Amino acid sequence: GECQSGQVTFSEDAPDLEGMRAAYDLLKMTFTNRQLKDMEYPDLGITTAQSFFYSFAMQRCGAIQWTSLFQNDGHSPDYIRVNGIVSQMPEFSDAFGCQAGEAIFSEPDGVCYLFGNKSTGGRQSRLMRQGNTAN
């Protein structure tokens, strides 16, 4: 097989990203401060925001199969589906204290918004630029 192209996977990656943003916004808007506090794990030092991102990553957790890196079903490999998405969310960088220069750091002015009032128009998403662009 051959490596996935960002051009091929974008139609799946983009909704994953926007769905994550919507889910995070809903988390913050729907739950009370007390309910949000109940989602923390203070003994482990895990905040509500970190818990949200861990939950997202865990659904893609598993052994990487060599053949899955070359699948051609329109989806990026799981590690890109997780890392590519969170690298587009400044909330992730805030939650985990990521610093400029780190691979997964999300600069607020470098993020691509595909929909809504923050839409950046035709700028290519980092999701496509970050390791998922073999053409």
Side-chain angles (χ1 to χ4, degrees), residues 14 52 62 74 79 115:
F52 173 83
Y79 75 96
F115 306 106

Side-chain angles (χ1 to χ4, degrees), residues 66-126:
W66 179 253
T67 55
S68 73
L69 297 176
F70 302 103
Q71 66 188 357
N72 196 8
D73 67 354
H75 292 90
S76 293
D78 288 341
Y79 75 96
I80 296 226
R81 290 182 82 180
V82 172
N83 293 340
I85 287 172
V86 300
S87 74
Q88 284 290 304
M89 297 185 69
E91 298 88 348
F92 178 86
S93 292
D94 292 343
F96 288 95
C98 300
Q99 301 296 312
E102 293 178 341
I104 207 147
F105 176 71
S106 181
E107 298 178 45
D109 63 347
V111 172
C112 181
Y113 290 91
L114 303 172
F115 306 106
N117 61 0
K118 292 183 180 179
S119 176
T120 50
R123 275 187 31 210
Q124 188 182 36
S125 170
R126 185 180 322 170

Side-chain angles (χ1 to χ4, degrees), residues 21 47 53 103:
R21 286 183 175 143
T47 67
F53 288 111

Side-chain angles (χ1 to χ4, degrees), residues 56-68:
F56 167 67
M58 291 300 292
Q59 66 181 316
R60 298 273 169 229
C61 187
I64 295 177
Q65 301 293 321
W66 179 253
T67 55
S68 73

